[in-house]
Amino acid sequence: MRTRNQRTLARSLQCSGVGIFTNSDIKIRFCPAPENHGIQFVRTDLSAARPIPALIENAVFKQRRTAIEVDGTSVEMIEHVMAALAGLQIDNCRIEINAPEAPCFDGSAQELSEAFLDAGIVEQPFPRQVISIQQTLTVENEAGCFIQAKPLNRSVMALGYYLNYGDDSPVEPQCLTLEINPDTWMNQLAFSRTFVLEEEVDAMRELGFGQKLSAADLLVLGPQGPIDNELRTLDECVRHKMLDCLGDFALLGCDLHGYFCAHQSGHALNREMIREIRKTHQSSEAKANWKVA
Ligand SMILES: [Zn+2]
């Protein structure tokens, strides 16, 4: 199987932005890390906080976002950061952050991805681990949303997403399939923003969230379309759902080869797929060992 080498940043870089849940100004610093380090977050606002490896074992449930936690210390809203790293194949990175959530930037991963490219990405002398999907796996929920993973006869990840919120939704039905690599990441997905419906924004504001953000900062969809804003592409919503998938799939901690078809999946189902892959991969590894013995 064709594999690539692990990669890290050529130098450290820092970005800042507003947190959607804490309404605070957040500094986030990305540092190069050695081989097999993986992605780890360190809370610099807490003394002696343990690094939190961005792995599915440390994922905790939060509504509509992805969070990781170790020993009661957590970081939330990590999915767009994880997607930018995964999209550009940056495997080893120490992330220092002075808040319990990652900044939301403009709701996309564009600024971060450009900052990573500016800093430069270097190859390391160790192969990146890959899990190649060998059998069809399906995860689904009560609402009829599902993700299916299938074997592919090429050493790549292909991701397809189908989105249809129904006739009453301001979001038109849309679907897209892409082979995922750093080029398609930068040109097709990184720019796509988080979207929320107008009524969801009102509910968020009542809870005190998003106070420093206006409709111009956030893609808010009303019955007539975006409010005080414009779509970057007609299918920006499905592209962002794919971005979220990539960020969540990155919690596996290795590359994935196969065809992934997602039907209205969100963060919880994305994580369930990763848990399923981890389970079946471990069992197929154990079987292979048994055969050798
Ligand atoms: Zn998102």
Side-chain angles (χ1 to χ4, degrees):
M1 183 195 307
R2 187 161 55 90
T3 56
R4 62 179 182 85
N5 277 11
Q6 294 179 30
R7 311 203 312 164
T8 189
L9 290 165
R11 63 167 172 83
S12 298
L13 66 107
Q14 185 169 297
C15 301
S16 53
V18 173
I20 202 163
F21 294 99
T22 56
N23 302 303
S24 58
D25 295 314
I26 298 166
K27 284 192 171 54
I28 184 164
R29 186 174 175 78
F30 298 86
C31 309
E35 297 84 7
N36 300 321
H37 173 280
I39 310 297
Q40 298 192 12
F41 287 77
V42 183
R43 287 277 302 276
T44 54
D45 56 322
L46 303 174
S47 59
R50 266 181 60 188
I52 312 170
L55 292 172
I56 190 70
E57 296 90 316
N58 299 326
V60 288
F61 179 80
K62 295 280 173 187
Q63 204 74 45
R64 298 191 61 173
R65 57 196 188 274
T66 300
I68 48 172
E69 183 176 310
V70 165
D71 292 344
T73 302
S74 61
V75 188
E76 302 183 8
M77 287 290 291
I78 63 164
E79 58 267 29
H80 303 165
V81 171
M82 294 299 291
L85 291 165
L88 290 171
Q89 297 178 339
I90 300 167
D91 313 302
N92 300 306
C93 186
R94 174 186 162 92
I95 304 169
E96 298 170 356
I97 184 164
N98 68 347
E101 65 169 326
C104 77
F105 301 106
D106 67 349
S108 81
Q110 180 87 23
E111 184 181 332
L112 269 186
S113 301
E114 284 173 359
F116 294 156
L117 288 179
D118 274 356
I121 300 164
V122 291
E123 205 165 271
Q124 298 170 294
F126 275 84
R128 172 73 162 164
Q129 207 198 341
V130 184
I131 290 180
S132 190
I133 298 297
Q134 300 296 331
Q135 65 196 79
T136 300
L137 304 172
T138 307
V139 292
E140 56 194 317
N141 65 17
E142 325 72 57
C145 310
F146 65 85
I147 311 174
Q148 203 160 55
K150 293 182 173 190
L152 200 61
N153 58 2
R154 293 165 58 216
S155 300
V156 297
M157 177 203 269
L159 175 62
Y161 197 104
Y162 175 73
L163 183 160
N164 186 350
Y165 294 134
D167 293 342
D168 298 334
S169 172
V171 182
E172 298 285 334
Q174 31 197 282
C175 62
L176 185 65
T177 301
L178 290 173
E179 179 181 320
I180 306 300
N181 58 47
D183 283 340
T184 52
W185 166 254
M186 285 308 293
N187 297 321
Q188 308 275 356
L189 299 178
F191 64 81
S192 61
R193 292 164 296 171
T194 300
F195 56 95
V196 278
L197 302 181
E198 199 174 10
E199 61 263 27
E200 293 174 320
V201 170
D202 296 340
M204 280 171 64
R205 291 251 156 81
E206 271 176 30
L207 292 169
F209 301 146
Q211 286 172 0
K212 288 193 177 171
L213 300 168
S214 71
D217 301 316
L218 205 63
L219 185 54
V220 181
L221 301 174
Q224 311 306 325
I227 298 170
D228 297 336
N229 218 319
E230 274 178 31
L231 288 172
R232 291 177 176 169
T233 60
L234 277 177
D235 60 355
E236 185 173 358
C237 295
V238 75
R239 290 172 193 265
H240 187 81
K241 297 302 281 186
M242 293 168 74
L243 180 159
D244 280 342
C245 277
L246 288 183
D248 291 336
F249 287 178
L251 293 174
L252 190 62
C254 68
D255 281 3
L256 263 175
H257 290 168
Y259 174 58
F260 296 83
C261 175
H263 186 113
Q264 317 249 110
S265 74
H267 296 299
L269 211 51
N270 295 345
R271 289 194 298 270
E272 208 176 313
M273 174 48 85
I274 291 310
R275 290 197 178 96
E276 191 64 22
I277 292 170
R278 178 62 65 81
K279 210 165 66 189
T280 48
H281 179 69
Q282 279 172 350
S283 55
S284 65
E285 236 177 19
K287 226 190 295 177
N289 289 341
W290 177 78
K291 270 185 198 160
V292 171

